[in-house]
């Protein structure tokens, strides 16, 4: 089916762009980011009301730098007719780095490894200069990302999407990170570059995934 392709489902962040080119501009990393730089009212409604995603405000998020694994990784909701709701997509490996709370900025990369049976076998996302918010142990990250859908040694499709990640950081009594509880990740297609092979979700379409606990690697 046409829609199975993208973990991309994540709601297409509409405003601004969070690309590696942007983050390399002189002085760009010194500018304090805002949620509205990436998410307009319509997109916020999709994330918070349609998907029911938790977006945590605040300018003092926990330090979440490191790598985490979400598995099983269930599709909880889509904003289009979708066979995959309630299905375990596989596992996702995500990494946060270069966190700077003074300007509420962080970088992100992820790899989704699909369960057997999906058309796409791997999906990669990269985002730099992403917005982070939150307080205490709760956080949210939103950004526009460069994505690729891959199979074997080939790239099936390239795209841009809006990604949102939320959760509650869990640490032990020594302060060591154990993982992320109530882990949520959403994606919305922003640009499918014409989708020449007809395997991506349509622009504006997206999904919400969740895992009760994403373990720290």
């Amino acid at each position: 089916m046409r829609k199975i392709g993208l973990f991309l489902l994540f709601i297409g962040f509409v405003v601004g762009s969070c690309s590696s080119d942007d983050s390399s501009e002189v002085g760009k990393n010194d500018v304090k980011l805002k949620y509205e730089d990436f998410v307009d009212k319509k997109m916020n409604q999709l994330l918070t009301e349609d998907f029911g995603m938790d977006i945590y405000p605040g300018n003092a998020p926990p330090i979440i730098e490191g790598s985490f694994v979400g598995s099983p990784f269930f599709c909880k909701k889509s904003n289009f007719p979708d066979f995959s709701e309630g299905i375990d997509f596989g596992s996702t490996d995500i990494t946060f780095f270069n966190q700077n709370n003074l300007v509420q900025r962080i970088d992100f990369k992820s790899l989704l490894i699909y369960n057997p049976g999906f058309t796409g076998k791997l999906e990669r996302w990269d985002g730099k200069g992403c917005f982070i918010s939150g307080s205490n142990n709760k956080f949210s990250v939103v950004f526009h990302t460069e994505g690729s859908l891959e199979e074997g040694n080939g790239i099936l499709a390239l795209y841009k999407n809006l990604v949102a990640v939320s959760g509650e950081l869990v640490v032990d009594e020594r302060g060591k990170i154990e993982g992320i509880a109530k882990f949520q990740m959403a994606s919305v297609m922003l640009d499918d570059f014409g989708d020449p092979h007809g395997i991506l979700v349509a622009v504006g379409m997206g999904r919400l995934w969740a895992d009760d606990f994403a373990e720290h690697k």
Side-chain angles (χ1 to χ4, degrees), residues 65-131:
E65 290 184 329
S67 296
F68 304 84
V69 176
S71 180
F73 203 52
F74 285 96
C75 176
K76 293 197 67 176
K77 191 166 292 187
S78 306
N79 68 337
F80 60 91
D82 187 11
F83 81 98
S84 62
E85 286 192 21
I87 290 179
D88 174 13
F89 269 58
S91 65
T92 185
D93 188 326
I94 65 173
T95 301
F96 298 104
F97 54 105
N98 294 334
Q99 183 171 348
N100 184 340
N101 281 359
L102 291 177
V103 290
Q104 294 188 243
R105 185 183 297 266
I106 195 168
D107 295 339
F108 170 96
K109 64 180 180 179
S110 72
L111 172 66
L112 171 67
I113 301 176
Y114 284 90
N115 281 331
F118 284 95
T119 300
K121 298 301 186 294
L122 298 174
E123 196 158 353
R124 300 180 193 273
W125 295 347
D126 289 290
K128 293 187 177 182
C130 312
F131 172 77

Side-chain angles (χ1 to χ4, degrees), residues 37-49:
D37 292 336
F38 303 93
V39 184
D40 67 3
K41 290 183 179 180
K42 182 177 180 181
M43 196 58 64
N44 182 65
Q45 179 178 333
L46 174 59
L47 289 174
T48 62
E49 297 182 24

Side-chain angles (χ1 to χ4, degrees), residues 35 54-64 99 101 104 131-142 165-168:
Y35 180 71
D54 297 313
I55 299 295
Y56 299 111
N59 60 6
I63 302 300
I64 61 171
Q99 183 171 348
N101 281 359
Q104 294 188 243
F131 172 77
I132 182 168
S133 62
S135 62
N136 297 318
N137 66 326
K138 298 180 179 180
F139 72 91
S140 294
V141 176
V142 295
V165 181
S166 284
E168 300 180 15

Side-chain angles (χ1 to χ4, degrees), residues 19-32:
S19 69
S20 56
D21 287 340
D22 285 340
S23 63
S24 66
E25 293 176 11
V26 176
K28 189 75 172 180
N29 290 336
D30 297 327
V31 177
K32 188 168 184 177

Side-chain angles (χ1 to χ4, degrees), residues 6-10 123 125 159 161 187-189 200 209:
L6 265 326
F7 177 71
L8 284 185
L9 61 96
F10 299 129
E123 196 158 353
W125 295 347
Y159 55 88
N161 59 323
S187 170
V188 176
M189 180 67 71
L200 302 179
W209 289 272

